[in-house]
Structures are given as C-alpha cells and as structure tokens.
C-alpha cells in the first residue's frame, strides 16, 4: 500500500501529482522548485536563495514523511543553465552531513514557472 505525503510547509502541487509517495520503504519525491509555501511566491532574488528555498521545501517534505537528508539515496537536479552548477552544487552539498546520495545534474530548456533549479529525491528507510 502506498502512502501519499503532502505538507503545507512545502508548495502545493501545481498539477496532478503529490509532493511524495512512500512505497516499500522508498520515498519518491516530486521535483521541488523555489516557491515559498507561506505566500505562494517564487523566490528568484538570486540562484543561492532560490536553491536554499528548494532545499527548505525538500526538507519539509522529508520531515513530513519521517525521513531526513541522511536517508536520501538518489537526487536529480535540473538547471536552466549549467553555468549555475557550481553555486547550486555548493548549497546542495551543505544540506548533507555525510554519505552523499547518487545524483545527476542536467541542464534543460525550461523549468516550471520559469525557475532556474528543480530538485527531486528518492529516500529509503529499510
């Protein structure tokens, strides 16, 4: 039986999907963008603040599900421009203490709401 995860501490889905689903100990998280859940506004003042908002949204979904960054096994990062990689990578890495997950980072033509970064994660608790 799958368990649906949704929290008001992260942005509500903007389409027919949930923030995350737990199946057999795996947490499959939908991509998070830099929407401030308190006011619904997109945070784009800088790529640093945009990335921090994405990671705060991810943390909220992880916590709602009973998981933490230490449980993340796989991450996908989508960027609007690969020139943003270094700064996003530094901020992303600061949210993990050790045992970084597997990951890919790709540049794409466009992201929802015109954002510059979207991150999805898969976590596991055995």
């Amino acid at each position: 039986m799958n368990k649906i995860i949704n929290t008001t501490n992260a942005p509500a889905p903007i389409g027919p999907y949930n923030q995350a689903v737990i199946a057999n100990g795996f947490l499959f998280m939908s991509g998070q963008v830099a929407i401030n859940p308190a006011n619904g506004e997109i945070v784009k003042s800088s790529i640093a603040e945009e990335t921090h908002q994405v990671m705060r949204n991810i943390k909220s979904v992880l916590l709602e599900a009973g998981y933490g960054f230490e449980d993340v096994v796989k991450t996908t990062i989508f960027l609007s421009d690969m020139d943003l990689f270094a700064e996003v990578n530094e901020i992303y890495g600061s949210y993990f203490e050790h045992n970084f997950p597997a990951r890919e980072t790709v540049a794409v033509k466009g992201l929802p709401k015109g954002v510059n970064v979207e991150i999805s994660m898969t976590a596991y608790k055995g």
Side-chain angles (χ1 to χ4, degrees):
M1 176 69 76
N2 295 343
K3 180 178 179 185
I4 304 301
I5 304 299
N6 283 299
T7 177
T8 57
N9 295 321
I14 55 176
Y17 60 90
N18 289 293
Q19 291 169 336
V21 176
I22 297 174
N24 296 322
F26 284 95
L27 174 74
F28 299 96
M29 187 182 305
S30 296
Q32 290 292 315
V33 297
I35 297 174
N36 180 332
N39 60 20
E41 293 182 13
I42 297 171
V43 175
K44 285 180 66 174
S45 55
S46 69
I47 190 60
E49 188 50 41
E50 188 174 345
T51 305
H52 278 296
Q53 184 64 56
V54 169
M55 296 303 287
R56 287 190 295 266
N57 293 344
I58 287 169
K59 182 178 182 179
S60 292
V61 176
L62 287 170
L63 289 174
E64 181 70 20
Y67 290 70
F69 284 106
E70 67 277 6
D71 300 310
V72 175
V73 296
K74 177 73 168 55
T75 302
T76 302
I77 300 176
F78 301 95
L79 298 174
S80 63
D81 187 326
M82 201 52 83
D83 288 340
L84 303 172
F85 178 85
E87 194 166 0
V88 170
N89 190 55
E90 182 178 341
I91 293 164
Y92 162 89
S94 72
Y95 285 80
F96 294 90
E97 292 186 22
H98 60 282
N99 296 332
F100 294 102
R103 184 185 91 185
E104 67 262 336
T105 303
V106 295
V108 295
K109 184 176 180 179
L111 290 167
K113 305 278 188 182
V115 299
N116 293 299
V117 60
E118 179 175 1
I119 301 176
S120 65
M121 293 187 177
T122 302
Y124 178 74
K125 279 192 172 190

